Amino acid sequence: MGITNLLQQLFSGPIVFLYQILQWVLDKIFSPIPPPPHANLKRPKIAIIGAGLTGVSAASHCVGHGFDCRIFEAGPRKNLGGIWSKVNNTSGLQIHSVMYRFHPSVKWKGGYPSRQQIVEQITELWERYGLEGKTHFETPVEKVYQDAHGRWIINNLSNGRFDGVIAAVGTCGDPKMPTLPGQENFKGEIYHSSELDGKTAKGKNVVIIGGGASAVEALEFVTKSQAAHTDILARSEKWIIPRNPVVDVLLALNIFGSETLLSWIPEYILRIFFYRDLHDLSPPKNFQNGIFTETPMVNPDVLDLVRSGKASWLRGDILGYSSSGTGITFNQRSKGVPKNGPGTEKLIEADIVIMATGYKRPTLKFLPQECFQEPYQPPNWYLQVFPPAHPEICCNNCTYVNAIGTVGNYHIGIYTRFLLMYLSDPLTPPRTYWMKKWVDMTRTIKAFAPGGALDFFTYSELIYWFVFTIVINPFRWKWAAFVLFGIGKDLPLRVVEEEKKLMDGDLFTEVKMDSRGTHHDEY
């Protein structure tokens, strides 16, 4: 064991060192410079809803590029960090940290940082860019609307007026805690996967209900608690991929963002080299259950626990708690049998039941009703985050359904800078007609994608979206370096001023053209 640890250190040491150098270089090249205290930031002024990872990162890009913003957070100061402020201390990053660089200045110490390290990085970012004085805690946003001049108001006029809005409410809100039949009979303990701090499962039989990301959260707890045995009860097959940065990056390189004729290759490789002897746990070999249809579960522990006999992964339907109060009555189905199909009823004994049932999705109902007109409701928006009726609204990181290799990466900054470009340069915002046409085009291209046109995407597909929408509009070319990399804001702004002079002649005064092509005086 000592030799193994030594070899691991000798091998990983240089890689960790190079990773730290890479992070330093990325910070120096791409991080916007924090504004000095009490800086007089320019317009456009952005309202940011949510003080989680996305909201804090988006705000740092705004002020770092010289634009003012305000963050509105529904919860108290302890909620800074969003969902990461609420999960268990045993939780950590599922994908490699190189794929979770939510800001160029982030400094990870290792490949899979803990929940505490993630919250620390968010807090440091918030403090470094002077966002404390720009954050309104305990301010739930109930209504977002425009005044007569087209500027945005959050709740009421007391919060000021804004040129643009970034909704950063995320995809995980309050825990979902369903009540199962016969729950009053259960003699053991019942917890949601998010409330395991301070609990112990040592020597006990644990049942985990659910097979997604929350199940990983629960698995990390039972592994560290040394439970006697764990049964994971999942309703359907779900792809499990290893915590391996090479594998994860390769999967994210699928530029089509959906199943293709070649998707069987990575799926076959996973079945042979990762699942190996546990082939019954892999999804059936049919098109509807491909790896590019929903977010996979990223964790090797579940398969290792199954191989060691410490855990069982069971596919089927939960009927409820047993009348004896000793466990869960379960209808176990064979591979490929649909939900509620025929199976074998059995009792799964448990001392602890962990509900890995996920979180309620935060609502976007505070946005204007025209943002949700069918068939252009989220996630079927321009670049998935801009509602066609209002390109000055960006719903960053809160409209996606399933993805691979994307969450929390550089696209937070890219989307934020798209919005800044639209608000700074009247020749760049897309018209509602063309925003809808982009959605229609994407639907046509991905007409046969089983995961839906915009319901599933990969990071490579996202990059294609970004580049394509810049290339098709020559007036956006000057902004390309700024939008994609955060470089060179001043030159595009100077060009915009010259363009304004050409459009308005010698009598040019400060005017602004909104996204619908209407001129109105600045105020």
Side-chain angles (χ1 to χ4, degrees):
M1 192 67 177
I3 296 177
T4 302
N5 288 337
L6 177 62
L7 291 174
Q8 288 178 343
Q9 291 177 9
L10 290 174
F11 178 74
S12 64
I15 295 177
V16 172
F17 177 70
L18 291 174
Y19 185 32
Q20 298 304 323
I21 293 178
L22 174 63
Q23 293 186 110
W24 181 84
V25 171
L26 292 173
D27 180 18
K28 294 300 180 184
I29 296 176
F30 298 115
S31 290
I33 299 174
H38 312 297
N40 184 21
L41 299 174
K42 298 179 293 185
R43 291 181 58 188
K45 185 178 181 181
I46 314 297
I48 298 173
I49 304 170
L53 177 150
T54 301
V56 172
S57 180
S60 71
H61 284 288
C62 288
V63 300
H65 292 303
F67 302 106
D68 201 4
C69 72
R70 293 294 182 273
I71 303 175
F72 298 91
E73 167 57 43
R77 166 66 178 78
K78 67 177 183 179
N79 281 19
L80 182 68
I83 188 62
W84 285 111
S85 70
K86 302 174 184 178
V87 298
N88 307 308
N89 287 327
T90 55
S91 300
L93 204 55
Q94 291 188 42
I95 60 176
H96 195 277
S97 60
V98 75
M99 302 174 70
Y100 204 76
R101 297 190 53 77
F102 58 88
H103 192 271
S105 65
V106 168
K107 298 290 195 309
W108 298 122
K109 298 177 182 178
Y112 299 93
S114 66
R115 169 256 181 197
Q116 182 179 357
Q117 293 174 33
I118 296 170
V119 173
E120 286 176 355
Q121 287 293 321
I122 297 171
T123 304
E124 288 179 13
L125 185 67
W126 183 69
E127 293 173 346
R128 186 163 58 252
Y129 281 85
L131 299 174
E132 183 172 2
K134 299 181 180 297
T135 305
H136 301 272
F137 290 108
E138 298 183 320
T139 308
V141 174
E142 299 174 351
K143 185 179 182 181
V144 174
Y145 63 99
Q146 286 180 297
D147 64 14
H149 298 285
R151 298 193 69 190
W152 292 95
I153 297 169
I154 308 299
N155 289 337
N156 54 64
L157 285 172
S158 65
N159 291 314
R161 292 178 170 88
F162 300 88
D163 301 283
V165 177
I166 295 177
V169 296
T171 59
C172 297
D174 295 329
K176 287 192 293 187
M177 190 69 170
T179 300
L180 301 178
Q183 188 165 311
E184 67 279 1
N185 300 323
F186 186 56
K187 299 174 182 177
E189 305 164 73
I190 304 173
Y191 306 111
H192 187 267
S193 60
S194 64
E195 52 184 15
L196 299 174
D197 283 345
K199 311 297 190 302
T200 181
K202 187 172 183 178
K204 296 182 179 181
N205 292 322
V206 179
V207 165
I208 298 174
I209 296 179
S214 295
V216 173
E217 191 176 5
L219 275 168
E220 290 167 338
F221 163 75
V222 297
T223 300
K224 293 185 178 181
S225 292
Q226 299 178 338
H229 187 81
T230 304
D231 289 287
I232 302 107
L233 310 184
R235 291 194 64 191
S236 59
E237 292 84 1
K238 188 176 185 70
W239 278 100
I240 306 170
I241 63 176
R243 269 185 169 180
N244 184 299
V246 175
V247 172
D248 298 345
V249 168
L250 288 175
L251 291 174
L253 289 178
N254 176 0
I255 63 170
F256 302 102
S258 64
E259 289 288 298
T260 69
L261 293 175
L262 299 178
S263 294
W264 67 270
I265 297 176
E267 294 166 10
Y268 178 78
I269 292 173
L270 286 171
R271 295 181 199 275
I272 296 299
F273 294 102
F274 185 55
Y275 284 90
R276 302 196 304 274
D277 52 317
L278 301 176
H279 56 85
D280 185 61
L281 299 188
S282 64
K285 296 180 181 179
N286 64 64
F287 195 61
Q288 294 300 317
N289 289 283
I291 198 167
F292 298 107
T293 57
E294 62 178 359
T295 305
M297 184 178 182
V298 187
N299 189 282
D301 291 344
V302 58
L303 299 184
D304 291 340
L305 289 170
V306 171
R307 288 190 178 97
S308 68
K310 295 180 179 179
S312 300
W313 181 286
L314 305 177
R315 179 193 306 106
D317 307 296
I318 296 167
L319 305 178
Y321 288 91
S322 63
S323 58
S324 63
T326 58
I328 298 288
T329 304
F330 188 68
N331 178 47
Q332 185 173 356
R333 292 181 272 107
S334 298
K335 184 174 182 177
V337 177
K339 298 175 183 178
N340 300 314
T344 303
E345 187 173 319
K346 60 194 301 184
L347 171 65
I348 311 296
E349 294 188 350
D351 301 306
I352 298 176
V353 172
I354 300 176
M355 303 295 289
T357 44
Y359 301 84
K360 299 175 184 176
R361 195 176 189 102
T363 181
L364 290 169
K365 66 179 182 180
F366 49 77
L367 295 177
Q369 190 59 40
E370 57 266 28
C371 294
F372 305 100
Q373 294 178 352
E374 294 186 2
Y376 303 102
Q377 70 274 29
N380 300 305
W381 283 349
Y382 183 69
L383 296 180
Q384 203 186 51
V385 302
F386 294 98
H390 294 291
E392 64 274 18
I393 294 177
C394 175
C395 294
N396 206 336
N397 251 3
C398 57
T399 55
Y400 74 89
V401 181
N402 286 295
I404 288 183
T406 59
V407 182
N409 217 298
Y410 278 125
H411 69 279
I412 295 175
I414 293 174
Y415 275 134
T416 301
R417 292 189 294 270
F418 260 110
L419 179 66
L420 293 175
M421 175 182 68
Y422 294 160
L423 297 175
S424 301
D425 187 346
L427 296 176
T428 60
R431 287 190 293 156
T432 297
Y433 174 84
W434 289 113
M435 295 171 83
K436 290 180 177 180
K437 286 300 179 184
W438 182 90
V439 175
D440 295 339
M441 178 194 70
T442 304
R443 282 172 166 160
T444 301
I445 292 173
K446 299 181 69 174
F448 299 103
L454 292 166
D455 292 354
F456 183 94
F457 63 89
T458 65
Y459 193 56
S460 297
E461 181 188 11
L462 196 62
I463 295 299
Y464 159 75
W465 295 354
F466 294 154
V467 174
F468 174 79
T469 55
I470 289 176
V471 169
I472 61 171
N473 186 336
F475 293 107
R476 297 176 189 160
W477 293 355
K478 60 182 176 291
W479 291 95
F482 172 71
V483 171
L484 298 177
F485 306 106
I487 298 173
K489 166 181 63 73
D490 294 334
L491 177 60
L493 284 176
R494 288 198 297 270
V495 174
V496 169
E497 293 302 317
E498 294 301 319
E499 289 173 340
K500 284 182 178 180
K501 291 178 182 178
L502 288 174
M503 288 189 295
D504 298 300
D506 295 333
L507 298 177
F508 170 75
T509 56
E510 282 193 279
V511 296
K512 178 183 176 183
M513 179 186 291
D514 66 20
S515 59
R516 291 168 296 281
T518 304
H519 286 81
H520 55 79
D521 292 337
E522 289 276 78
Y523 48 91

